[in-house]
Amino acid sequence: MMKMRWRIPTSIAALIALACARATTASTVYDPCSTTGSSAVALDGSLTIGIAYWPGGTLEDWTDNHPCANATALAAAGVGTTVYVVDADGMTAIRGTRADEDGLYATDATATMMSVVAYTATTVSAARAVRVESGSAGDDGRTGRVSVLTLLATLDKGNVKYLRWHNSGCGECGGIGNERCLSVGDGDYACTASEAGCDGTCVGDACDVELGTTDALRCQLTVTVALSGTDVNDEVFTYGTQLERLSAYSSSGAYSSAAATATSATNGVLGFLGRR
């Protein structure tokens, strides 16, 4: 599989190429709950990471819940996870399939929101809202499907210490005051696609999604991942810092649009474990 990596960009055009997955080998670890996949990470290696989705789960529901340590209880609550192996020395856009994401959400007929966390065996991120429907207690009553979140994995000597969401903001969709800008947690904001636009029930100018094109990828979550800190040999990961800088381009729409609609995004190697 060909890999595309971001280097220091010289133009906006350089920003829209997203990294593809590292070609896996027999030694690749697909279990994010195994410390093997998230320790002793080298600059030329890879990191195994999970994204857990909770249909009907609020941000507060994730408190003291780790998708590894509390796997049985979370699966019983309807949580589904998908697994990715990302290139340590690059920026990777990861995305499941819309069929899986929609299917998981539909398993809870009472759900009016869905939230996610990113995790490894020893670390879990804060929760973020990725889907809010009418009737949910969203800020200003706003609804929609979050198109892009940005995740920074910080390592110390090759071991994952922190998984943190980077606030990319709503520059692409008109700023915090725009109805397509959603508060996703801890003061962070993200642009959304409307439910009506995604399900094709919108009319005329109210349609904000071009279904049948790559724009429809905005109806499902894409997570852009980069590593910062140091690898097992004390070499520095530089892409986490670059990703924070590149996210600033979301104010012009270039960065977030590219991430949301990139067809080169990596699909999960294992889809929605625990889905019922």
Side-chain angles (χ1 to χ4, degrees), residues 53-64:
Y53 295 71
W54 193 337
T58 66
L59 305 186
E60 293 75 17
D61 286 336
W62 285 105
T63 302
D64 297 326

Side-chain angles (χ1 to χ4, degrees), residues 44-59:
D44 61 352
S46 60
L47 172 67
T48 303
I49 193 167
I51 303 291
Y53 295 71
W54 193 337
T58 66
L59 305 186

Side-chain angles (χ1 to χ4, degrees), residues 139-143 169-183 189-194 208 218:
D139 287 359
D140 300 323
R142 293 177 187 174
T143 63
C170 290
E172 176 194 354
C173 53
I176 292 177
N178 191 281
E179 65 177 357
R180 293 267 56 85
C181 181
L182 187 70
S183 175
Y189 291 85
C191 292
T192 65
S194 70
D208 60 316
R218 295 193 298 111

